[in-house]
Amino acid sequence: MSSDLTPAIQCIVSRSRFERMAPLLALFAEVLVFYHRVLFLPAYAIPYDLQGYHAPLAAFAVRALGSLRVPLWDPYTYCGFPYFANITTQLFYPPAWIAFLAAKVFGLEHLLKALEWQLVLHVFVGGVFTYFLLRRLGVGWASATLGATIFQLGAYFTSQAQHLGAVCGAAW
């Protein structure tokens, strides 16, 4: 008799696992749809500071780390400044190292795309954390998903897309 219940119990367990993952998958799909041009079409990129400020800083880090040097001092910007002390360089931020490594493996010409993926994944992480916070506060799954959607696709993240550090900080 217990062997007859096992498939039914497994179906319930797998269905509840899917039901638990469905809001997170929806949040991920929303972010991919919202940023689809930036992520998947080469003609589009996040402009201004991401291209003109963050990408050159990251390129300096990739070059230095690629030659096995820790980039402590940047002699090229403002007649030199302490690179490691600038929080916007993200030198000591572990997720940024994934973008640095991607640029080293695929080439510096793909660095901007790696930074854009880093930014979009942080927007998603912000949505996920908001969802879990709302669930912890006793909000139902549908309302928590809606609240997370509003946070991740709302005014702050969309208006700060060019500011990598602001997006990364807001996600946590």
Side-chain angles (χ1 to χ4, degrees):
M1 180 108 175
S2 65
S3 65
D4 294 333
L5 294 177
T6 305
I9 292 172
Q10 288 175 348
C11 180
I12 291 170
V13 169
S14 65
R15 191 176 76 193
S16 67
R17 182 177 297 152
F18 174 75
E19 288 173 357
R20 286 182 293 189
M21 292 299 295
L24 304 180
L25 294 172
L27 292 173
F28 188 64
E30 290 170 358
V31 168
L32 289 180
V33 168
F34 190 81
Y35 289 99
H36 76 279
R37 287 184 178 164
V38 170
L39 294 177
F40 302 117
L41 300 176
Y44 292 90
I46 296 174
Y48 310 118
D49 285 0
L50 194 65
Q51 290 178 359
Y53 182 74
H54 294 288
L57 288 175
F60 180 76
V62 169
R63 285 189 203 99
L65 295 169
S67 62
L68 301 177
R69 289 184 302 109
V70 178
L72 299 176
W73 183 261
D74 178 3
Y76 306 111
T77 307
Y78 304 122
C79 295
F81 81 102
Y83 182 87
F84 73 97
N86 184 352
I87 194 168
T88 59
T89 63
Q90 296 189 332
L91 182 60
F92 300 110
Y93 185 54
W97 283 62
I98 298 169
F100 297 162
L101 180 62
K104 186 63 181 164
V105 170
F106 298 111
L108 276 176
E109 64 273 8
H110 298 289
L111 177 62
L112 181 61
K113 193 57 67 181
L115 293 175
E116 289 170 342
W117 272 98
Q118 177 187 348
L119 184 133
V120 170
L121 290 175
H122 275 79
V123 170
F124 168 66
V125 165
V128 168
F129 288 161
T130 302
Y131 173 79
F132 285 130
L133 172 67
L134 292 172
R135 292 293 289 156
R136 177 103 182 195
L137 293 173
V139 175
W141 69 268
S143 299
T145 305
L146 179 62
T149 297
I150 291 169
F151 181 67
Q152 76 179 8
L153 301 180
Y156 183 78
F157 281 133
T158 56
S159 68
Q160 297 299 317
Q162 64 177 322
H163 301 121
L164 187 60
V167 170
C168 292
W172 296 106

